[in-house]
Amino acid sequence: MSDAIEIWRALAAEELKGRDPATLERHRPEGVTVKALYTEADLPEAAAQAVPGVAPFTRGIRATMYANRPWTIRQYAGFSTAEASNAFYRRNLAAGQKGLSVAFDLATHRGYDSDHPRVAGDVGKAGVAIDSVEDMKILFDRIPLDEMSVSMTMNGAVIPVLAMFIVAGEEQGVSREKLSGTIQNDVLKEFMVRNTYIYPPEPSMSIVADIIGETARTMPRFNSISISGYHMQEAGATLAQELAYTLADGIDYVRAALDSGLDIDAFAPRLSFFFCIGMDFFMEVAKLRAARTLWAEIMLGLGAQDDRSCMLRTHCQTSGVSLTGQDPYNNVVRTTVEAMAAVLGGTQSLHTNAFDEAMALPSETSARIARNTQLILQHESGVSDVVDPLGGSYYVESLTAALVAEARIAIDEIEAMGGMTRAIADGLPKRRIEEAATRRQARVDRVEDVIVGVNRYRLDDEAPVEILSIDNAKVRKAQIAKLAAVRASRDEQRCAEALSRLERVAREGSVAGNLLDVAVDAARARATLGEISAVMEAVFGRHEARVELVAGIYAKAYAGHPEFDLLERRIQDYAHEHAGPPHVLMAKMGQDGHDRGAKVVASAFADLGFRMTSSALFETPAEIATRAIEEDVDVIGVSSLAAGHRTLVPLLIGALAEAGRNDIRVVCGGVIPECDHAFLREAGVAEIFGPGTNVLEAAASVMGHVEGLRRNR
């Protein structure tokens, strides 16, 4: 083999006109160096002996994998009302989808009923609104819950949502022991990246343990937790970070369950995972293989005796952040590549994103293409014919081993801090992910990472894409009417007594009972989601995150770049002339906690020299306006990723106008479809920056508005 490698090196050097073939190596953000050539010498010793279905399950958790049974097509969907989502589900199931994955709106995630004043712009926009058992019953109308596996992405309001699902099953004639599916129930990652938490970390972990315990006791077919790395990668984490932090979360959940008195083999076989699959094809395949390898090792170390406890079962979803608003039909190709990586990595179920999700919720057409992507892979590609077709690949096996090693380092760091809960309190994982996200944005802006149709090969003119639009006001009005009907028809005394029992269990802990168990009684009595959440909030409190910016990373990436230097000097000159730099307030309004874009942009603007202030999460337009006026900012940058801008931005501009501060400019960025641009500009928005906008270009545009404002004062 050594002779053959030397021959290759000589040939490669000739083709490279004398350059060392080592110059072809690529350095990935994960800390892994990818060589141009892999051979038998790169194959880890253990790889030759590994077989599917045998610990550590590197090659798959089942001996026959897809050769016997293909992965489950489980599309993630939910929008508007329960009625609209139910109709959508039934059409998809009739067209070949095999499982349901429910997307809830942000009001539901955050534990608010649809009539709460803080959720005016959120009801029904990014998922389905669920206020009571009646909504849950409608959601699954004519969908037999004893036959259908249901996954629910829910963490903050996990207690009332799961309780209402159980009651909806009961009233459909399906007892809880027959229910199958998964509740995400992964709150730790919410504190790191997604921010749809309600309560502080400690009581949130007790909720997780209560759900694990109750489902282990009464719901043998139901997965009590889906430990999610998906939102970490979406927030900018490297694949090694996503892998390590997800497994570290899992360790803390297992320990919480053990501390509550549960036997590890009684609950561990029902744990599941959820990973994002992005565009680094082979690295994503290796990531899933590394995850299974490490989890088996971890569970054995925690005392598991049953092989099923050591199996990492996972759902995967193609990347949302890889989707582009520019030239969006390219997203069909991206999703196909990512779906193939998930399948070759050995996922148990898969959601494929629709091509228009960088702009809005998927349309009927885009959802069909996304679903059919999986059907084509299953039935036409041949990938299901062989168990672990990439097993034994020099490259894939080497990548798997490299990711195992990188993840072990990060997990050990978390363990040395006392586990993930304490690491989150310190802020370390969040900082690391935000740093990675900022570095990634700088690489894209500098065209070091090519995004076809965005920073290279752009279209001069793009045809408009038809998108799904939700009438938020109409949906909210309908939900408020249903809430009123539920409250008018229920037995108020029975409801009050059930909520009182829930409050006592929340206050006294496990000695008084199990939170999920008593919440089921409250749901039966038609207590609403907001009422159940409020009772627990009164005991536990509501968590408020610290907003911190990453400093220096964007500037370092742009060191010596003429455009960066020119804009930096322009801001410095302005600061000298006006006794201070231009002041920008970066705002998040409504219940949209997705703050990756806002933080990346704010960090980059700060590195350029802007004075940056970031609002707290979940503020109202009136609160943002008041803060902007008090701090006398020049510009408010509104980040919108959950379609609330049509409702919230006009309210913000109206509040500024009412206070006589029309001079404060409002700019918007995020997932804002082209069809909304005219509406926002008419409302008074000065600039709109969609996904893929170069940050330097955005900063120059904002600076132009600031200079214009000063000239006109």
Side-chain angles (χ1 to χ4, degrees), residues 30 233 237-244 278 280 283-284 287 403:
E30 289 73 24
Q233 188 181 146
T238 69
L239 271 63
Q241 288 172 337
E242 179 195 9
L243 172 60
D280 197 341
M283 194 74 76
E284 291 287 5
K287 180 185 75 183
L403 280 177

Side-chain angles (χ1 to χ4, degrees), residues 70-71 73 336 340 371-385:
W71 67 93
I73 300 171
T336 303
M340 183 73 85
R371 181 186 63 249
N372 287 353
T373 299
Q374 296 197 54
L375 290 170
I376 291 167
L377 286 177
Q378 284 190 353
H379 296 287
E380 298 185 33
S381 72
V383 297
S384 299
D385 295 346

Side-chain angles (χ1 to χ4, degrees), residues 158-164 166 176 183 207 210-215 218-219 502 505 513-522 536:
V158 62
I159 286 286
V161 164
L162 185 52
M164 289 173 185
I166 290 168
R176 68 176 73 183
I183 188 80
I207 289 170
D210 269 16
I211 290 172
I212 292 174
E214 184 65 12
T215 53
T218 65
M219 301 173 72
L502 178 66
V505 172
N514 182 285
L515 277 170
L516 176 60
D517 189 41
V518 292
V520 169
D521 288 337
M536 292 191 292

Side-chain angles (χ1 to χ4, degrees), residues 56-59 247 288-298 310 312 400 404 408:
F57 308 106
T58 307
R59 301 193 63 187
L247 298 184
L288 296 185
R289 303 172 94 252
R292 290 192 293 270
T293 306
L294 283 164
W295 189 243
E297 174 187 301
I298 288 165
C310 300
L312 184 143
T400 301
V404 166
R408 278 195 185 117

Side-chain angles (χ1 to χ4, degrees), residues 30 40 120 199 244 249 295 311 363 409 432 476 524 581 589:
E30 289 73 24
E40 188 178 358
Y199 319 109
D249 282 354
W295 189 243
M311 293 178 180
S363 67
I409 293 169
R432 293 281 171 77
R476 189 167 187 244
R524 288 195 192 104
M589 295 190 292

